[in-house]
Amino acid sequence: MAFLTLKNVSKVFGNTTAVEDFNLEVEKGEFVSFLGPSGCGKTTTLRMIAGFELPTSGIITLDGEDITYKSPNQRNVGMVFQSYALFPNLTIGQNIGFGLQVRKMPKEEMEKRIDEMLSIVHLEAHKNKYPHQLSGGQQQRIALARALAINPRVLLLDEPLSALDAKIRVELRLEIRRIQQEMGITTIYVTHDQEEALLISDRIVVMSQGLIEQVGTPDKIYNYPSNEFVAQFVGQLNLLPITDVDLENGKCLLAGQEVRFEHTPGRIISESPRLAIRPEELQIGTGEGRNALKGRVESALFLGAVVRLRVDIGGVFLSADFFNERSRTLPHSGDEVVISFPEYSCWVM
Amino acid sequence: MKRGSFWSWLWVIIGTLYFLLPLISTFDFSLRAKKGELSFLAYTRVFTDPNFWATMRFSLLIALFTIFLSIVLIAPTAYWIRLRLPKLRGIVEFISMLPYVIPAIVWVFGAIRTFSGTPFFLTNTLFGTYVLLTTGYVVLSLPFVYRSIDVGLAAIDVKSLTEAAQSLGAGWGTILFKVIFPNLKVAILSSSFLTLAIVIGEYTIASFLVGIKAYGPYMSMIGQNKTYESSSLAIISFLLTWAFMGVIQLLTRGKTSGSSMAGAR
Ligand SMILES: Nc1ncnc2c1ncn2[C@@H]1O[C@H](COP(=O)(O)OP(=O)(O)O)[C@@H](O)[C@H]1O
Ligand SMILES: [Mg+2]
């Protein structure tokens, strides 16, 4: 049995179903992210693992023990909040020691543990300060240290970086991952930021409206999204209307031009089929054995490393990303271009 | 610019005079107990009056019990409402305001009627009467004690702090005494001093329940019977109240200059 399992877990608030038939198995030491738009039930699921909400139905087990109805202070689960939630009346050292004091750890051992945690988050110098004297990023590191100090069985983080500015966010997410790997701690990380989830997770659970849409490794989620929601939510995606779909031979028409695609048997095709392709799979100019579409540049955005084109293919607009090259002149709006891509890079849904 | 500052200064001066003149003349009057000279005779008489000290001690004692009872009652209640029953906050706030609109005289008649017969015989014994007096003051102080503590709670993220403490293994006792109350220190202290000031000067409830045992009725009796002493008493009470208010000011200022996060230390 997996280390942490959720079996048929549902949560209903009045007449909203926040989480519906949630099933997940998390292995020991794994880093799993819950990814989805706001209101899809990520926090509620996390709070049921923490014990702050009781499931309407279903079972949650941790390390073989049924913890579904266990009170939160008996679970030995670490929690990090978006708002840091440091105790304002206690020093940084006392904050980290809070859980240890509750556990009646001897003073000397406790001080050692506090120092150890402070060094893990690189804030040794701030032990005797108060939370309000630290920056947001520093406070969140302390909150992380406080949650980890008690050696929790699982670490739960609910959008821990949402309140921080972009630069700190980028720094801290790598640090969270580093610490998680160093300590080998099983972690559930809630976020609505797909880039964050892709970067730091072993596996991602994509959710929408209380349901799991897909569970998988970041590259699986990105390259093989199991449905339109996942494909759209994770990364950029062109969804282009097509006609005359021939699944047998993997052919269809896009604005009158033929496109070949690789069809995965069993994939559900909707009533109004569309060709799905990521902007970065596209290239300017033709190539051996590639699909080629003639069109006209509508706009060209220079983003530094990347150039983003919007191309009009006979009335269908697609967006294409290219790496910038110093020697190449940028296409201008109105230019006639050929956009090409290999058949295995696109799919029909 | 000049015009504006002239008018604002004029208003400040008028306001100050309106406030200070009666005070100054009361003080001046209180010094004239001895004919033809200024003296502190009226003050000496007050301070040597055993009734002054007895009533003051009685009222202080009742005030302390009131403070203790109302904090013990209101702090956990306000906390629980913020944590678990946020929908009730409006109703509770309304109830806590009732003492503002219900005159003390109405309360005291109601209380005497209710608690002097079956099944409650509180007014039959001295102790019962004191209990009734204390609970009356708890009701009287409810609006600002509740307000003050609720505002104190608003300054901290009650839900997250509680949950953070819970996930670290803390039970309710630890959460209340190590996390919530320390962050309400300023709110609790300032509402305590306000309660103190109000209970000591209270007249209506005290006069109906215990009469001149309490400081308020004592003050009123002196006011009716002894001209100069009443003025000196007014000044003494005024200074006392100001001292309490000063303490509150000091407490709350320390809080705001410290941090935006109610970092009571
Ligand atoms: N305590 C609650 N009472 C009522 N509805 C709630 C409560 N908590 C969450 N919900 C509802 O459950 C749904 C999921 O919320 P939540 O788990 O917070 O989503 P997320 O964290 O993904 O943004 C939302 O529709 C939200 O309004
Ligand atoms: Mg959330």
Side-chain angles (χ1 to χ4, degrees):
Chain A
M1 192 152 90
F3 188 63
L4 170 68
T5 70
L6 288 92
K7 267 197 221 100
N8 310 111
V9 171
S10 297
K11 178 69 188 182
V12 180
F13 292 109
N15 45 21
T16 11
T17 304
V19 180
E20 200 174 337
D21 197 25
F22 193 100
N23 287 284
L24 182 69
E25 303 206 330
V26 179
E27 296 303 329
K28 197 164 184 167
E30 209 180 1
F31 192 119
V32 174
S33 291
F34 293 173
L35 173 66
S38 162
C40 71
K42 309 179 294 288
T43 297
T44 305
T45 311
L46 198 75
R47 290 172 58 80
M48 288 192 284
I49 300 172
F52 300 132
E53 304 284 358
L54 296 181
T56 310
S57 62
I59 293 170
I60 302 171
T61 70
L62 180 58
D63 205 3
E65 176 200 3
D66 182 347
I67 58 161
T68 316
Y69 299 105
K70 204 167 185 176
S71 74
N73 61 349
Q74 304 293 320
R75 293 191 184 201
N76 202 16
V77 160
M79 181 97 184
V80 175
F81 300 82
Q82 184 182 333
S83 59
Y84 325 136
L86 294 179
F87 307 125
N89 56 311
L90 302 180
T91 63
I92 298 309
Q94 290 167 333
N95 262 280
I96 296 176
F98 188 91
L100 306 175
Q101 208 172 23
V102 168
R103 284 165 177 69
K104 305 222 160 42
M105 185 185 266
K107 181 117 179 64
E108 219 162 277
E109 197 184 331
M110 190 167 98
E111 289 302 319
K112 239 181 83 192
R113 181 78 178 151
I114 292 171
D115 292 339
E116 187 190 334
M117 294 318 298
L118 278 169
S119 85
I120 286 178
V121 295
H122 304 308
L123 289 173
E124 295 94 329
H126 302 280
K127 188 175 179 182
N128 295 316
K129 289 188 181 166
Y130 283 87
H132 73 264
Q133 293 171 297
L134 266 53
S135 72
Q138 289 172 326
Q139 289 190 46
Q140 197 56 301
R141 282 172 205 229
I142 296 301
L144 183 65
R146 180 180 67 177
L148 289 171
I150 59 169
N151 253 324
R153 295 191 284 182
V154 187
L155 177 66
L156 308 173
L157 305 102
D158 190 358
E159 312 223 9
L161 307 180
S162 301
L164 300 169
D165 38 273
K167 192 165 166 281
I168 307 289
R169 206 154 59 214
V170 169
E171 241 173 67
L172 207 48
R173 64 190 185 194
L174 289 175
E175 194 155 336
I176 289 174
R177 178 58 159 162
R178 170 185 64 81
I179 293 167
Q180 182 267 336
Q181 283 178 323
E182 258 174 43
M183 300 184 72
I185 184 159
T186 314
T187 302
I188 309 284
Y189 187 98
V190 163
T191 180
H192 63 262
D193 181 340
Q194 42 110 2
E195 193 184 306
E196 211 168 275
L198 290 171
L199 185 75
I200 58 177
S201 319
D202 290 320
R203 276 195 303 155
I204 298 174
V205 178
V206 184
M207 298 174 64
S208 126
Q209 300 184 350
L211 292 166
I212 293 184
E213 295 287 346
Q214 189 174 357
V215 181
T217 55
D219 60 310
K220 269 272 156 41
I221 297 273
Y222 189 84
N223 290 324
Y224 300 95
S226 61
N227 58 41
E228 190 181 327
F229 175 83
V230 178
Q232 294 260 42
F233 192 77
V234 182
Q236 305 280 330
L237 186 73
N238 289 301
L239 274 176
L240 312 166
I242 46 176
T243 53
D244 303 287
V245 182
D246 177 357
L247 290 181
E248 301 284 285
N249 302 305
K251 282 195 298 191
C252 65
L253 287 182
L254 195 164
Q257 307 183 47
E258 190 184 271
V259 171
R260 308 188 64 84
F261 59 89
E262 250 176 24
H263 179 62
T264 328
R267 188 183 272 285
I268 298 156
I269 311 290
S270 75
E271 300 253 317
S272 47
R274 280 158 306 167
L275 185 77
I277 184 155
R278 302 255 185 223
E280 71 271 17
E281 301 271 9
L282 302 170
Q283 236 180 47
I284 299 183
T286 51
E288 182 68 34
R290 296 168 70 92
N291 287 308
L293 295 169
K294 287 199 206 53
R296 173 180 284 118
V297 176
E298 221 235 342
S299 66
L301 291 178
F302 180 67
L303 304 173
V306 170
V307 178
R308 180 160 296 161
L309 293 189
R310 202 168 131 82
V311 183
D312 179 356
I313 311 280
V316 174
F317 291 91
L318 62 75
S319 112
D321 287 353
F322 312 95
F323 280 121
N324 174 45
E325 282 170 40
R326 228 168 100 155
S327 55
R328 187 164 67 189
T329 49
L330 289 177
H332 292 285
S333 57
D335 287 359
E336 298 284 340
V337 285
V338 174
I339 299 290
S340 71
F341 53 96
E343 57 189 73
Y344 53 78
S345 67
C346 61
W347 70 94
V348 169
M349 50 187 212
Chain B
M1 260 330 243
K2 253 203 129 126
R3 256 180 95 86
S5 86
F6 168 76
W7 284 106
S8 44
W9 273 112
L10 184 75
W11 284 114
V12 167
I13 288 165
I14 289 176
T16 312
L17 285 179
Y18 178 76
F19 178 73
L20 280 183
L21 272 181
L23 209 63
I24 291 168
S25 42
T26 307
F27 181 60
D28 178 71
F29 188 72
S30 74
L31 298 178
R32 294 179 188 279
K34 213 178 262 176
K35 221 177 161 110
E37 61 173 299
L38 295 180
S39 73
F40 282 101
L41 181 63
Y43 291 87
T44 325
R45 282 196 197 135
V46 166
F47 285 132
T48 50
D49 180 359
N51 283 331
F52 170 80
W53 294 108
T55 55
M56 180 62 94
R57 212 185 62 205
F58 177 82
S59 288
L60 268 177
L61 219 61
I62 294 288
L64 289 183
F65 281 117
T66 305
I67 289 164
F68 178 77
L69 199 64
S70 58
I71 302 289
V72 163
L73 223 61
I74 293 167
T77 310
Y79 165 67
W80 197 252
I81 285 164
R82 279 212 168 249
L83 185 67
R84 289 290 151 85
L85 310 163
K87 283 192 191 113
L88 283 187
R89 244 189 84 224
I91 298 168
V92 173
E93 206 167 283
F94 173 74
I95 292 171
S96 80
M97 289 302 167
L98 284 181
Y100 272 149
V101 289
I102 296 175
I105 188 90
V106 173
W107 184 88
V108 78
F109 278 139
I112 289 173
R113 265 191 100 90
T114 311
F115 295 108
S116 60
T118 36
F120 312 102
F121 293 97
L122 284 181
T123 52
N124 291 8
T125 61
L126 214 52
F127 178 75
T129 314
Y130 296 165
V131 168
L132 199 57
L133 184 65
T134 307
T135 51
Y137 287 153
V138 169
V139 171
L140 206 64
S141 64
L142 187 64
F144 40 91
V145 175
Y146 178 79
R147 273 261 141 167
S148 164
I149 287 178
D150 195 52
V151 167
L153 285 167
I156 55 174
D157 185 350
V158 167
K159 190 164 166 241
S160 296
L161 289 186
T162 301
E163 289 176 354
Q166 276 182 311
S167 72
L168 292 167
W172 289 114
T174 312
I175 293 172
L176 280 178
F177 287 99
K178 291 260 172 70
V179 178
I180 301 300
F181 291 166
N183 288 303
L184 293 179
K185 210 154 57 183
V186 172
I188 287 174
L189 279 174
S190 63
S191 59
S192 298
F193 278 104
L194 211 57
T195 306
L196 194 61
I198 287 192
V199 169
I200 286 188
E202 205 280 334
Y203 172 77
T204 315
I205 296 179
S207 70
F208 277 95
L209 285 178
V210 294
I212 56 156
K213 247 195 200 120
Y215 184 69
Y218 167 77
M219 239 184 352
S220 146
M221 185 200 73
I222 297 287
Q224 281 160 25
N225 302 332
K226 303 193 177 167
T227 331
Y228 298 105
E229 280 86 335
S230 82
S231 298
S232 71
L233 260 184
I235 296 292
I236 291 166
S237 307
F238 191 78
L239 289 179
L240 213 62
T241 312
W242 263 41
F244 294 152
M245 295 301 158
V247 173
I248 296 169
Q249 281 296 312
L250 229 71
L251 288 171
T252 42
R253 195 175 51 209
K255 171 182 155 188
T256 44
S257 70
S259 78
S260 54
M261 288 191 62
R265 278 175 256 151

